[in-house]
């Protein structure tokens, strides 16, 4: 397994609320990112979010990444799954099996995302090329 790190910017965030009732809002989001560091490239994603009372939330998503990972170019898909409440947060972002192409064919792994208090997004990507 290899690990690479860096940062990314959200270059697009378009959301559409499709349900808002009883203190729960359901939102579909279209996102684009620009990656720097060990991952160098761009991605697009579709997210479904549930925003509930008292700051509780959850989301699932599929993200298509077109980038170089430590100098190897190709594409792959990430699956996101997250939940948050006042007792904590849990986020899993994993490579979808057999989704890699080009020099990233056979890639597997997990991406960890950290957001600073100032809103900067950084990542650590632990991966393996099969």
């Amino acid at each position: 397994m290899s690990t690479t790190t860096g940062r990314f910017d959200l270059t697009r965030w378009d959301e559409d609320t499709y349900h808002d009732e009883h203190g729960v809002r359901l939102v579909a989001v279209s996102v684009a990112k620009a990656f720097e560091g060990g991952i160098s490239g761009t991605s697009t994603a579709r997210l479904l979010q549930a925003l509930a009372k008292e700051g509780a939330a959850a989301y699932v998503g599929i993200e298509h990444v077109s980038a170089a990972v430590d100098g190897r170019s190709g594409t792959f898909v990430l699956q996101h799954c997250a939940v948050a409440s006042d007792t904590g947060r849990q986020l899993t972002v994993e490579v979808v099996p057999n989704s890699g192409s080009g020099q990233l064919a056979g890639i597997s792994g997990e991406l960890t995302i950290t957001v600073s208090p100032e809103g900067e997004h950084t990542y650590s990507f632990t991966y393996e090329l099969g």
Side-chain angles (χ1 to χ4, degrees), residues 35-57:
F35 287 88
E36 299 175 2
I39 300 174
S40 178
T42 61
S43 73
T44 57
R46 297 291 174 116
L47 313 177
L48 294 176
Q49 296 180 319
L51 308 169
K53 299 173 187 168
E54 300 174 20

Side-chain angles (χ1 to χ4, degrees), residues 110-130:
E110 187 169 337
L111 185 86
T112 302
I113 299 171
T114 304
V115 181
S116 75
E118 297 78 30
E120 181 181 35
H121 292 81
T122 58
Y123 65 84
S124 178
F125 185 40
T126 301
Y127 69 95
E128 187 169 23
L129 285 167

Side-chain angles (χ1 to χ4, degrees):
M1 298 292 274
S2 299
T3 300
T4 195
T5 61
R7 62 178 307 281
F8 66 86
D9 290 316
L10 297 170
T11 58
R12 184 180 76 236
W13 182 277
D14 297 322
E15 63 180 61
D16 178 38
T17 299
Y18 62 91
H19 179 87
D20 192 353
E21 184 172 48
H22 307 295
V24 177
R25 187 164 64 105
L26 302 179
V27 180
V29 184
S30 179
V31 178
K33 297 177 184 174
F35 287 88
E36 299 175 2
I39 300 174
S40 178
T42 61
S43 73
T44 57
R46 297 291 174 116
L47 313 177
L48 294 176
Q49 296 180 319
L51 308 169
K53 299 173 187 168
E54 300 174 20
Y59 87 89
V60 295
I62 298 293
E63 179 175 6
H64 181 266
V65 180
S66 179
V69 177
D70 289 336
R72 294 184 176 106
S73 296
T75 65
F76 59 95
V77 177
L78 294 170
Q79 174 189 336
H80 294 239
C81 184
V83 65
S85 69
D86 59 355
T87 60
R89 297 174 183 222
Q90 183 177 19
L91 170 64
T92 303
V93 182
E94 295 180 322
V95 175
V96 173
N98 300 318
S99 67
S101 72
Q103 294 175 320
L104 300 177
I107 195 168
S108 62
E110 187 169 337
L111 185 86
T112 302
I113 299 171
T114 304
V115 181
S116 75
E118 297 78 30
E120 181 181 35
H121 292 81
T122 58
Y123 65 84
S124 178
F125 185 40
T126 301
Y127 69 95
E128 187 169 23
L129 285 167

